């Protein structure tokens, strides 16, 4: 009976040793698998969406740099042209504004010089009547008053850039004069203005009314 008890104890002890060994092997396998899984999670496979990056070669970089330089030059040239166009527009606009200020009264001046013509003819008529042989003092005073008005009017014209032309003895200019007759060239060179039938006027150097003139020509015998 003691021998039977001994065998039972040995059998139980062997079973216990085998169970302990199995538990150790299972724990080792589990630990190894967990470590591999943890390592795989940390490293992980590469994202399939990311494309592999290949460094550009020196030739490709040089070609790209040249292309960028060409684009910079092209943009710089466009900027310079745009800047020049903008400056031209600014100058033309400024010139337009200045001309508008200077010549805005051009039509008014054309009407006003006609009044000056009437005043001049009236003054000349009064001068003929107010001769020293005529004792009428009233006509003399009228003539003096008209002369003062005419002088003042011409002074106002000059102040605003409106000037009367004096073309007698000068060369004919189609931009300033209009021929209404031809006269024999007596002591004058052909093509010279011999007389003026209507005064011409300029506003700041621009002709606003042509002078009506008679031009000297060679007399035909």
């Amino acid at each position: 009976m003691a021998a039977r008890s001994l065998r039972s104890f040995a059998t139980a002890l062997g079973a216990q040793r085998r169970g302990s060994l199995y538990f150790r092997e299972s724990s080792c396998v589990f630990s190894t698998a967990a470590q591999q899984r943890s390592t795989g999670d940390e490293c992980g496979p590469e994202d399939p969406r990311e494309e592999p990056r290949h460094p550009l070669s020196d030739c490709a970089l040089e070609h790209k740099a040249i292309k960028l330089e060409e684009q910079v030059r092209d943009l710089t040239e466009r900027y310079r042209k745009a800047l020049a166009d903008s400056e031209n527009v600014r100058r033309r606009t400024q010139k337009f504004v200045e001309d508008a200020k200077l010549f805005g009264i051009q039509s008014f001046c054309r009407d006003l010089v006609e009044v000056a013509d009437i005043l001049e003819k009236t003054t000349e008529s009064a001068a003929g009547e107010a001769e020293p042989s005529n004792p009428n003092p009233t006509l003399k005073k009228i003539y003096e008053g008209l002369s003062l008005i005419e002088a003042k009017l011409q002074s106002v014209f000059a102040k605003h850039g409106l000037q009367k032309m004096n073309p007698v003895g000068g060369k004919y200019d189609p931009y300033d004069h209009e021929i209404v007759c031809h006269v024999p060239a007596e002591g004058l060179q052909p093509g010279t203005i011999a007389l003026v039938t209507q005064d011409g006027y300029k506003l700041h150097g621009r002709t606003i009314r042509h002078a009506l003139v008679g031009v000297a020509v060679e007399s035909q015998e």
Side-chain angles (χ1 to χ4, degrees):
M1 185 173 180
R4 183 182 301 174
S5 300
L6 184 60
R7 284 195 299 270
S8 298
F9 178 75
T11 302
L13 181 61
Q16 184 179 4
R17 289 180 177 177
R18 286 194 298 271
S20 177
L21 181 62
Y22 176 78
F23 177 76
R24 290 179 181 177
E25 290 178 354
S26 299
S27 299
C28 183
V29 171
F30 178 78
S31 177
T32 303
Q35 183 178 2
Q36 289 179 354
R37 185 164 52 251
S38 176
T39 304
D41 292 340
E42 292 178 359
C43 298
E46 295 183 356
D47 191 347
R49 291 176 296 179
E50 295 183 359
E51 297 181 355
R53 299 179 180 178
H54 301 286
L56 296 175
S57 62
D58 294 341
C59 181
L61 289 174
E62 183 177 359
H63 178 72
K64 189 174 182 179
I66 293 174
K67 189 174 181 180
L68 290 175
E69 290 178 358
E70 291 178 353
Q71 292 178 356
V72 170
R73 285 195 297 268
D74 181 59
L75 291 175
T76 302
E77 186 65 22
R78 290 183 181 181
Y79 170 75
R80 290 177 179 176
K81 289 181 178 179
L83 190 62
D85 292 340
S86 177
E87 182 65 18
N88 291 334
V89 171
R90 186 190 67 81
R91 290 179 180 177
R92 287 196 296 267
T93 304
Q94 184 178 2
K95 183 65 167 57
F96 177 78
V97 172
E98 291 176 354
D99 289 347
K101 291 180 180 179
L102 292 175
F103 304 107
I105 59 173
Q106 182 170 322
S107 59
F108 173 72
C109 289
R110 287 198 185 100
D111 296 335
L112 198 58
V113 295
E114 294 181 0
V115 177
D117 292 341
I118 297 173
L119 179 61
E120 183 179 0
K121 292 178 180 179
T122 305
T123 304
E124 292 176 354
S125 177
E129 296 293 335
E131 293 180 353
S133 59
N134 192 344
N136 191 343
T138 304
L139 291 176
K140 185 177 181 180
K141 290 182 179 180
I142 291 175
Y143 167 71
E144 291 176 353
L146 292 174
S147 299
L148 291 175
I149 294 173
E150 184 180 7
K152 183 61 178 179
L153 184 61
Q154 293 299 326
S155 175
V156 173
F157 284 177
K159 180 180 178 180
H160 293 279
L162 184 62
Q163 296 180 346
K164 182 192 295 187
M165 300 181 192
N166 297 310
V168 176
K171 291 292 185 181
Y172 167 74
D173 186 349
Y175 295 102
D176 295 334
H177 313 133
E178 182 179 348
I179 300 175
V180 294
C181 63
H182 293 88
V183 297
E186 297 179 357
L188 297 175
Q189 295 182 356
T192 303
I193 297 175
L195 58 90
V196 177
T197 61
Q198 185 182 61
D199 293 324
Y201 282 86
K202 286 186 176 183
L203 179 62
H204 296 290
R206 177 186 293 181
T207 301
I208 63 170
R209 191 177 78 172
H210 290 72
L212 304 182
V213 299
V215 178
V217 296
E218 294 182 355
S219 59
Q220 298 179 357
E221 298 179 355

